[in-house]
Amino acid sequence: FAYLSTNIVDNNGRTLFEWNEPNPKNPKMKDMSQQETVQKCFDLAIRTYLDSPDQLTPEEAYRKANSYFNVKDYDNAIKYLKIAAEREYPDALVGLGLMYRQGLGFPIDYVRAMDCFKKADSYGNGNATAECAIGFFYEKGMGVDIDYQTAIDWYKKSAEKNNTTAMKNIAGMYISGIGVTKNLNEGIKWLEKASYLGDKEAGEFLIKVKQVKQQQDNQDAAQAAQFLGIIGSIINNATR
């Protein structure tokens, strides 16, 4: 700046800039009037204040994190997710959990991911995405022992909040008989729920499963059973 200054502070008492006398270190601004310099300092101070992480709402911090994540700037994504998470914003905790799970910006750490998901689910009426992720961890044994009943319990909690991924996961378990007694009708029921809520992938799976059911009804049981295993595996791998 052409002039050094100390007039504006933020809510925490931190000085944003000073104004007192000419700044010889900035020759490009030496011909500016004091009024012009003060205005530039003021404008910069306001921008600095508004852009400060301390001034962001949790929602704003979360949106910033998403913007950085979309361009694969994981360090800044993590920075703003942590800001939102510290202010008890559940979706930010889910975001951190997913980054721990996938090893984006962190080494893969299923235990920390699970901690993030469970903390996210502890707020309010719970978080459907976190519940679905917890179910997946129990189904696959990621950082915990495999427990299919616990997996389905978490998936159902998530499904109650209309999470269609959880519905497809439940369907996949019933259709392929993973951890539960194979039950084609139960699998169809869950795919129908997800499809009704607009999940196109669930609708595509539903068509295939109903075709297999028709084969079963036509007593081509051996071929139907083979296709069911394949379709159940596809659903389980496609809905993660």
Side-chain angles (χ1 to χ4, degrees):
F1 298 115
Y3 292 86
L4 303 177
S5 48
T6 58
N7 292 334
I8 296 181
V9 297
D10 66 12
N11 289 338
N12 296 316
R14 295 175 305 179
T15 299
L16 295 177
F17 72 87
E18 305 185 353
W19 181 78
N20 190 358
E21 57 186 75
N23 181 0
K25 294 182 181 180
N26 195 341
K28 291 182 180 180
M29 298 178 70
K30 65 182 180 180
D31 295 330
M32 292 180 62
S33 69
Q34 290 185 6
Q35 182 178 357
E36 290 172 326
T37 303
V38 169
Q39 184 61 51
K40 283 187 174 292
C41 289
F42 181 82
D43 291 344
L44 178 60
I46 293 301
R47 289 198 303 272
T48 302
Y49 176 76
L50 293 177
D51 289 340
S52 169
D54 291 340
Q55 308 308 319
L56 296 174
T57 66
E59 293 83 358
E60 289 169 339
Y62 182 69
R63 285 198 295 270
K64 273 185 171 287
N66 276 335
S67 297
Y68 283 117
F69 183 87
N70 289 336
V71 296
K72 299 184 178 181
D73 184 348
Y74 299 131
D75 289 341
N76 273 313
I78 289 168
K79 171 184 173 182
Y80 285 98
L81 283 174
K82 285 184 174 179
I83 289 169
E86 287 169 359
R87 298 172 193 175
E88 302 184 350
Y89 194 69
D91 286 346
L93 285 160
V94 172
L96 287 171
L98 293 174
M99 294 184 77
Y100 275 120
R101 169 187 159 180
Q102 298 175 38
L104 301 176
F106 299 115
I108 290 175
D109 191 329
Y110 297 141
V111 173
R112 288 190 176 181
M114 179 70 91
D115 288 343
C116 288
F117 295 142
K118 287 190 173 180
K119 188 172 182 180
D121 193 53
S122 70
Y123 297 123
N125 295 320
N127 183 284
T129 305
E131 290 163 354
C132 186
I134 293 169
F136 178 69
F137 273 36
Y138 277 108
E139 182 186 348
K140 298 300 181 182
M142 297 167 66
V144 294
D145 293 334
I146 290 176
D147 187 332
Y148 294 121
Q149 185 57 56
T150 300
I152 283 195
D153 289 344
W154 279 103
Y155 285 151
K156 287 183 176 179
K157 285 182 67 174
S158 180
E160 287 172 0
K161 299 178 178 67
N162 291 335
N163 186 298
T164 58
T165 298
M167 294 175 187
K168 290 183 290 185
N169 290 348
I170 296 169
M173 293 179 74
Y174 277 112
I175 290 168
S176 58
I178 295 177
V180 295
T181 301
K182 187 178 293 187
N183 188 327
L184 185 56
N185 289 330
E186 189 70 10
I188 288 174
K189 180 186 81 174
W190 286 102
L191 287 177
E192 286 176 338
K193 286 184 177 182
S195 179
Y196 178 77
L197 291 171
D199 192 304
K200 292 182 179 179
E201 187 178 52
E204 293 169 1
F205 288 141
L206 185 60
I207 292 171
K208 293 176 182 178
V209 173
K210 285 186 173 180
Q211 288 173 345
V212 174
K213 188 175 187 303
Q214 184 64 43
Q215 288 180 329
Q216 266 192 347
D217 294 341
N218 292 336
Q219 298 182 345
D220 193 357
Q223 187 177 9
Q226 181 182 3
F227 283 135
L228 277 179
I230 294 171
I231 292 172
S233 178
I234 291 172
I235 294 174
N236 280 335
N237 290 322
T239 58
R240 308 311 182 187

